[in-house]
Structures are given as structure tokens and as C-alpha cells.
Amino acid sequence: TLNIKSGNDYLFRANGSVINFEGWMYVGKHMGIEEDPESLNELPEFAEGEKLDLSNLLSDQHFTQPPARYSDATLIKALEELEIGRPSTYAPTISTIQSRGYVTKEGRYFVPTDVAYVVNDLLVENFPEIVDYKFTADLENDLDNIADGKKEWVPFIRAFYEPFEKELVEKEKTLNKHDVTNLGEIGEKCPECGRPLIYKLGIYGKFISCTGYPECKYARPLDAQMDADGNEVKQDYGKCPDCETGVLILKQGPYGKFIGCSNYPECKHIQSFQDKIGMTCPKCKIGDVIIKKAKGRIFYGCSRYPDCDYASWKNPLPQEQRESAEPAESSVQKEEVSQIA
């Protein structure tokens, strides 16, 4: 800790750290997992009582930060503290939440998807006793007792399943798929029928749809550009090279955005789409940094790959530029997602 005194009124303090033993950091480096450099701030050398000149004074306001997102290690630690699962089930649990699309990975951290918020909200509202932490922890202990021969499994399963089956049948009658996938109104009217537009959850994520569906089939992606009359402006990427009559437009699929022909399904021409973040590659200084996905994990790479092999698990764009690059409706989406949570 470095304390810098200015006159009799002000004290400036800087905190840093020095690594004495790398431990798991050494392993992480060889696995391509680098430690956050900001958490390893190393202070310059100063002698006690040394006089310093003030070269610059920067004022910066800080706000309370939310808890860090879970990584593999911190999620397993939380499961252990809640007595949920066993060492043999930790890996399948993490694999399942990724394969079912509940989370994506940005760097080392899990980020919940819209599907996760909807499923969590549905289960907490309709099956609170099943998703309670204590239920899962107690169930683990009961299963251990069954494995040790201390408890009969048939009466135990019957005591749980018979009332649960009745509740499940009731919920199947009362729950409406439309209510589950409806994420709230967006404050606009449908340009085709005049009914309210809503955020809706589909197999490829969240989109905007008309409440009059299926009578009215109006729908558009969240990031669609609108003209002054409220009509969607579909940017075209030139004429289709296959059919030569359609135009290439941006579409959304199960693996992200892609460019396809407007004459689909008659013409099935597709090509990749480079999702740029608005930054030149820091390595080659020629290509653009684009968002990529591999095995469910999001990372950032150079558009000139394989000529340039730049890649990063972290978004290299400065935080202030990331916030300014967010679409105008993002604040509405965040508010709506927080209400779901």
C-alpha cells in the first residue's frame, strides 16, 4: 500500500500486489487462461519519505459493482456450499446448462440467456418446492442413505412422485405456452394490424412479435432498423449470386447471424456474417475484431483469420465504447429482463 500525503488535508492511496508464488496461475498460463491484469496491479518502487511532483490529477466516480458472474470454479464452490451435487455430478451439471442454452460463456464466465430467465421464472412460480436449494440438498442425502441401504427406495420415490405427478398434470392444463414466451409489451403498435407488439422468446432467442399471432404474423428481430414510418428497413448485401433475382439479407439461425437469400426456400444460398465490434485488430492493424463462437463459448478474433491468429476471450473494446455502441432499445431490454429475474 502506497500512501501519498498532500499538505495536511489530503491522503492519496494506491494498492498493489506482488506475486510470491504463482500456484494455479502457472497452470492457467499454460492452459491459455490469463489472470486479469487489473487485479495484479504492481506498484512502482518508492522510498519512504520521498517527495513527489503532481503531474496530473484525474477525478473518477465509482459505483457499486454487482457480484461477479460465475466461472466453473466459483459455480462449483457455490454448489458445495449449498450441498448440491457431488464431485461426480459437477461436470455434467455445467455441461447441461450449456448444452440446453441456459448460459453462454464469455471468457471464463457464464452469462445467462433469455431462455434461462424464462425457465427460472416459470419453475420458481409454479414449482417453488422443487427448485428450492434445501430440497435438492436433502434429496442428495436421502439418495446417499438409499445407496448405503439405510432407506428403502420404493416408498421414498412414491412419497415424492405421486403428489408431484398430480401437480404436474394440473400445471399442464393451466399453463399456456403463449404466456410463457410472452416477455412483455415494447410500447409500440403493430404496423400491419395495430395491435400491441411484444417481446417474444423463440427457438433462436428473443424477437419482436404481434400479439395478434397467429392471425397477424408480423415479426422482426430485436436489432432491426426502422424508418420514420415505423417500417422495418432490411439492409441488403447485394444480389444473390445463385438465383440472381433475390437479394442477400441478414438472418438469425441456431448458430447466430448469417446472410441468406430473400427468395428462401426456393433459393438456399447462405454465407457467413462478420459481427464486427467496431475495432481494428490490435495485432495485424488491418482486419476487424469480430465476435465468434466455438462450442457454445463467445470469443473475439480477427476477421483475417487464418492470416492473423489474434483471439481473446475478453472483449478488447474499452468499457465506455461498449456502452456507447449498445442499441437504443438495450436499456428497455435490460429493464424487462430484470423484471423477469
Side-chain angles (χ1 to χ4, degrees):
T1 300
L2 179 66
N3 293 318
I4 304 172
K5 193 174 182 181
S6 175
N8 296 320
D9 300 324
Y10 302 103
L11 179 68
F12 297 93
R13 175 168 292 165
N15 294 310
S17 58
V18 177
I19 300 171
N20 290 326
F21 175 65
E22 288 190 327
W24 281 105
M25 290 175 60
Y26 180 85
V27 180
K29 288 179 182 177
H30 289 75
M31 294 175 64
I33 304 172
E34 293 291 341
E35 194 73 29
D36 185 357
E38 293 183 4
S39 65
L40 301 174
N41 181 38
E42 189 170 340
L43 298 176
E45 291 291 334
F46 286 106
E48 186 174 354
E50 182 178 348
K51 293 187 180 296
L52 304 177
D53 292 327
L54 177 63
S55 61
N56 197 9
L57 186 61
L58 302 176
S59 61
D60 192 13
Q61 186 176 11
H62 294 274
F63 297 92
T64 303
Q65 296 296 314
R69 295 195 183 278
Y70 284 116
S71 64
D72 292 72
T74 56
L75 179 57
I76 290 174
K77 182 179 179 182
L79 293 174
E80 289 176 337
E81 291 174 350
L82 294 168
E83 298 183 359
I84 295 174
R86 296 292 183 269
S88 61
T89 64
Y90 294 148
T93 298
I94 291 174
S95 175
T96 299
I97 61 176
Q98 292 182 87
S99 64
R100 294 186 180 177
Y102 296 144
V103 296
T104 58
K105 243 188 171 182
E106 292 186 5
R108 291 181 295 159
Y109 300 101
F110 296 110
V111 179
T113 63
D114 294 326
V115 175
Y117 285 112
V118 171
V119 171
N120 180 74
D121 194 48
L122 177 72
L123 293 176
V124 170
E125 182 178 349
N126 294 281
F127 303 97
E129 68 284 352
I130 301 298
V131 294
D132 183 77
Y133 294 139
K134 191 174 185 302
F135 168 82
T136 310
D138 290 344
L139 183 62
E140 296 279 0
N141 294 327
D142 288 330
L143 292 175
D144 286 341
N145 290 331
I146 291 172
D148 294 338
K150 299 177 181 178
K151 181 176 285 193
E152 291 291 329
W153 73 271
V154 174
F156 170 74
I157 295 297
R158 181 181 292 121
F160 159 74
Y161 189 73
E162 287 183 352
F164 176 69
E165 183 184 27
K166 293 178 182 178
E167 186 178 14
L168 199 60
V169 171
E170 283 297 316
K171 295 298 182 182
E172 286 179 346
K173 295 177 182 178
T174 57
L175 283 175
N176 188 308
K177 180 183 177 182
H178 174 76
D179 296 334
V180 174
T181 58
N182 182 348
L183 305 183
E185 296 186 9
I186 71 170
E188 294 181 25
K189 299 292 183 182
C190 175
E192 295 184 4
C193 71
R195 294 176 179 140
L197 293 177
I198 58 172
Y199 291 113
K200 199 168 185 180
L201 187 65
I203 57 174
Y204 301 142
K206 196 162 58 173
F207 65 99
I208 293 173
S209 174
C210 179
T211 51
Y213 182 85
E215 291 80 12
C216 176
K217 292 182 170 57
Y218 176 82
R220 71 171 191 256
L222 287 179
D223 54 0
Q225 295 182 351
M226 310 301 292
D227 61 20
D229 298 324
N231 298 315
E232 182 182 353
V233 179
K234 290 193 175 182
Q235 179 183 359
D236 71 78
Y237 293 82
K239 186 178 289 187
C240 176
D242 288 354
C243 67
E244 297 185 348
T245 58
V247 294
L248 300 178
I249 58 176
L250 188 63
K251 297 186 175 183
Q252 180 76 31
Y255 303 108
K257 296 177 181 178
F258 67 97
I259 295 174
C261 181
S262 59
N263 285 338
Y264 180 86
E266 288 76 18
C267 177
K268 294 182 171 62
H269 174 84
I270 60 170
Q271 61 191 57
S272 62
F273 169 74
Q274 293 186 342
D275 197 355
K276 301 178 182 179
I277 68 171
M279 177 181 177
T280 304
C281 175
K283 186 172 183 179
C284 69
K285 311 295 184 182
I286 300 174
D288 295 299
V289 177
I290 60 176
I291 300 174
K292 297 185 175 184
K293 183 180 286 188
K295 296 182 179 179
R297 297 183 67 179
I298 294 174
F299 70 99
Y300 303 85
C302 181
S303 60
R304 296 181 61 247
Y305 180 84
D307 296 327
C308 176
D309 61 357
Y310 170 78
S312 171
W313 290 117
K314 295 181 180 179
N315 189 337
L317 204 62
Q319 183 65 37
E320 58 272 13
Q321 293 184 34
R322 289 186 228 171
E323 294 173 354
S324 63
E326 289 183 353
E329 72 272 11
S330 64
S331 60
V332 179
Q333 294 174 27
K334 287 178 180 176
E335 180 183 352
E336 170 262 319
V337 168
S338 67
Q339 290 173 352
I340 293 174

